[in-house]
Amino acid sequence: MKTKGAASSAWPFHGGTAFVREVLPNAATATAIAAVVVFAGAWLAPRLGVAEYDYLVGAGLVVGAAGAAFLVFGPSWIIISLFLAKMILGHLFLSMYIFPFAGVEWHPREFWLFLLLAHGAVKLITGRAAIRPDLTHYFFYLYCFYFVFIAAVGLWRQPNMTEIIKECRFPIFLSTYLVFATCVKDRRELRRYARALLALTTLIALGACAFFAYTFVTGNVINTQNVYGEYVRRQIGPRLLQSVRPNGHLFYEVCFVVIAALFFCRETTRRVKALYLLLLGVFGCAIVITMMRTAYVALACSLAILVFISLPRGMRWLLVFVGVLGVVLVALALGAQLYESTAQQLPDLEVSLKARVEEMRGAWDTFLRHPLTGAGMGSSFEGMGWVAKQSTIAYGQTTYQTVHNVWMYYLFKGGIVGMALVLAGLGGILARAYLTIERIQDARDRCLLRGLVAATAGQLVASLAMPRLTYPIGAVFLAMMTCAFFLLARQPMAETPVGPEDRPCCGY
């Protein structure tokens, strides 16, 4: 028989007991209130002389408020699932709708963030969630403190509140970690969210592959970048092909690496391995058609790290020693030639690489002017801007407030002090997760953690050339991964008997 605690955690992806207990009463109440408002308003509006349009707006606001209240006071899995789906399906920085209010342009993702934070606050105040002390929290909040530090430096150096507010709107999404770490109770719930994320990412990848196949067969190649992603023409040999980068393509790489780790788990059956191979094929195709070099680099780095942490411990350090020695020998033997060759090729680089080299040069010069504390949030520098317009290249002086190289961003905004905070925070998170791997008894959880560590570390390496981590989805990604590390590092509670609805789905 399932215990009461086990039943309450069975939803969202298996079973229905918790759904009936927690969701239906709240949903029924909210629906009843909305129905009363709508029907009462429909009967009273003509008699009171209220215009139909104004009435519909008022009814919509009432229903919207009822829905928001339901999300804030309802079960955690609803608001967390909807928030994650919104962030994964949303663009890095664009929004379909923008709502001006009090002189500020508000995006839908920010309203979702406020709802999530309000839900977490309600859970803590009512005692239905608790802050569980752990060293992982310290490292994550140390990373968060970096942004507090550069905001203070920005106010001190040049108190331009407009630019500071504009820039701090992205790292504020790091606050989602507190809700994840308090409202996601255990490994079992973590597995369910992981399965939901895998299902959503698979649907995105299948849709991307289908769209690429359509453009390949019909030749109807488009060239647009909008709130749904980036779809740009690429000349590959004699053929004009479609690059497909829908929103959420970041998780192609994450899912590929995690599935690769689970594929080699000794508890994975042959039937499930066949399914994993199919998923690896889907995500592999989806990554290829992004035609995104940084995605290839991120995947390669993640897989290399996965192989490294899967080796016996003695072989890991031998491999590190051999690798470092090889890099030093190559640098001594070919360093001068490589430098001269690179310097000669710089003028002939394609436009996107020229722009990134220019960004790093300007960021480095800014850092040299403020080496200790950096230039602070809201700071910027002038540099040459390179833009590709189909077959022509435009360039001119432009202002850079952020750069593609996230690590250079950390350096020029926060200086040596800020970089130390980032390295201590992110390094501590990964180090704690790495040390946890061998302590986990369950083979599936151990392989899951290996994949998550490798995927996160690969994204950090690839951030040398892409700015994902500085966008809202990057902040949420770090919060998600750190929460997973935290939950997997905790000793599991006594396992409750597993009912039919709690049996592993897809082998995990």
Side-chain angles (χ1 to χ4, degrees):
M1 296 293 291
K2 183 181 291 293
T3 63
K4 182 177 180 180
S8 64
S9 64
W11 190 258
F13 307 110
H14 296 290
T17 305
F19 179 73
V20 173
R21 279 185 192 169
E22 299 181 24
V23 180
L24 287 183
N26 294 333
T29 302
T31 304
I33 293 174
V36 169
V37 170
V38 171
F39 285 110
W43 184 79
L44 287 173
R47 293 164 176 76
L48 297 177
V50 179
E52 182 180 2
Y53 179 78
D54 294 336
Y55 155 69
L56 290 177
V57 172
L61 290 175
V62 172
V63 174
F70 172 69
L71 292 177
V72 171
F73 294 96
S76 295
W77 67 264
I78 297 180
I79 180 64
I80 292 178
S81 299
L82 291 176
F83 175 80
L84 292 179
K86 163 61 184 171
M87 295 304 300
I88 293 171
L89 294 174
H91 192 270
L92 290 175
F93 54 89
L94 298 177
S95 296
M96 186 176 298
Y97 304 105
I98 297 176
F99 307 94
F101 178 73
V104 178
E105 292 184 342
W106 299 93
H107 296 256
R109 59 175 174 264
E110 293 166 344
F111 289 109
W112 280 101
L113 174 64
F114 297 151
L115 286 175
L116 183 70
L117 296 179
H119 174 83
V122 167
K123 288 290 186 180
L124 288 173
I125 293 172
T126 58
R128 289 183 289 171
I131 299 176
R132 295 161 285 184
D134 193 273
L135 190 60
T136 304
H137 303 335
Y138 168 77
F139 290 122
F140 189 84
Y141 294 130
L142 196 62
Y143 174 70
C144 294
F145 184 71
Y146 164 82
F147 295 97
V148 177
F149 172 74
I150 64 173
V153 173
L155 286 172
W156 175 48
R157 292 197 183 280
Q158 41 98 33
N160 188 338
M161 287 300 299
T162 301
E163 295 301 321
I164 293 175
I165 291 175
K166 184 195 304 183
E167 193 170 338
C168 76
R169 294 176 70 165
F170 289 176
I172 199 173
F173 280 80
L174 291 168
S175 59
T176 55
Y177 174 73
L178 179 61
V179 182
F180 296 156
T182 54
C183 294
V184 182
K185 299 182 180 64
D186 51 29
R187 296 182 185 181
R188 183 173 297 174
E189 286 194 16
L190 175 64
R191 296 186 194 114
R192 291 170 186 144
Y193 285 113
R195 286 195 290 267
L197 189 148
L198 173 62
L200 179 58
T201 308
T202 302
L203 291 176
I204 296 172
L206 289 173
C209 292
F211 178 68
F212 177 82
Y214 166 77
T215 60
F216 184 83
V217 172
T218 63
N220 186 19
V221 182
I222 63 175
N223 190 24
T224 183
Q225 301 183 43
N226 52 35
V227 294
Y228 303 108
E230 300 176 358
Y231 307 88
V232 182
R233 299 167 181 167
R234 299 289 181 182
Q235 189 73 39
I236 308 295
R239 188 79 182 257
L240 194 64
L241 298 179
Q242 180 74 67
S243 67
V244 185
R245 303 177 189 175
N247 298 339
H249 66 268
L250 155 65
F251 292 93
Y252 292 169
E253 304 142 37
V254 177
C255 290
F256 189 101
V257 176
V258 172
I259 291 174
L262 292 172
F263 179 83
F264 291 100
C265 177
R266 65 173 181 265
E267 293 188 1
T268 303
T269 63
R270 291 183 179 180
R271 179 178 60 86
V272 175
K273 284 189 176 184
L275 176 61
Y276 285 165
L277 280 177
L278 179 62
L279 290 174
L280 289 174
V282 171
F283 290 128
C285 291
I287 291 171
V288 169
I289 63 176
T290 61
M291 301 183 193
M292 187 177 180
R293 288 166 301 205
T294 48
Y296 304 155
V297 172
L299 181 61
C301 291
S302 298
L303 291 176
I305 295 169
L306 177 61
V307 171
F308 172 78
I309 61 180
S310 300
L311 292 172
R313 182 167 298 181
M315 291 184 63
R316 296 175 199 171
W317 300 115
L318 178 61
L319 184 62
V320 169
F321 174 77
V322 173
V324 171
L325 181 61
V327 170
V328 171
L329 292 176
V330 170
L332 292 175
L334 304 175
Q337 296 179 8
L338 289 174
Y339 176 80
E340 293 178 3
S341 175
T342 303
Q344 292 174 359
Q345 293 176 8
L346 280 178
D348 300 323
L349 289 175
E350 65 177 81
V351 60
S352 63
L353 295 180
K354 282 184 177 180
R356 298 189 186 190
V357 170
E358 184 67 22
E359 289 176 0
M360 288 188 287
R361 182 186 293 117
W364 180 255
D365 291 341
T366 306
F367 160 71
L368 292 179
R369 290 196 294 271
H370 311 285
L372 187 60
T373 59
M377 188 176 286
S379 60
S380 60
F381 59 88
E382 299 291 326
M384 189 66 69
W386 300 86
V387 180
K389 299 290 186 181
Q390 295 180 350
S391 60
T392 61
I393 296 177
Y395 60 91
Q397 202 74 3
T398 189
T399 300
Y400 292 94
Q401 189 172 359
T402 60
V403 294
H404 283 80
N405 187 330
V406 173
W407 296 96
M408 189 61 73
Y409 171 87
Y410 293 146
L411 191 63
F412 104 81
K413 294 285 185 176
I416 296 174
V417 175
M419 181 60 82
L421 290 172
V422 170
L423 291 175
L426 296 180
I429 291 170
L430 284 178
R432 175 158 173 76
Y434 171 77
L435 294 174
T436 300
I437 293 174
E438 301 304 326
R439 294 193 293 104
I440 295 181
Q441 299 298 320
D442 185 87
R444 293 177 301 165
D445 285 342
R446 186 163 59 250
C447 291
L448 174 63
L449 183 54
R450 281 179 184 156
L452 293 175
V453 169
T456 305
Q459 292 298 318
L460 294 181
V461 174
S463 293
L464 289 167
M466 61 181 178
R468 285 173 176 170
L469 295 186
T470 57
Y471 288 120
I473 186 57
V476 174
F477 168 76
L478 286 176
M480 290 168 51
M481 294 299 104
T482 308
C483 178
F485 299 157
F486 159 65
L487 291 172
L488 290 170
R490 292 178 63 85
Q491 294 298 325
M493 302 291 289
E495 291 290 340
T496 56
V498 178
E501 68 273 21
D502 284 325
R503 287 172 185 161
C505 173
C506 301
Y508 190 75

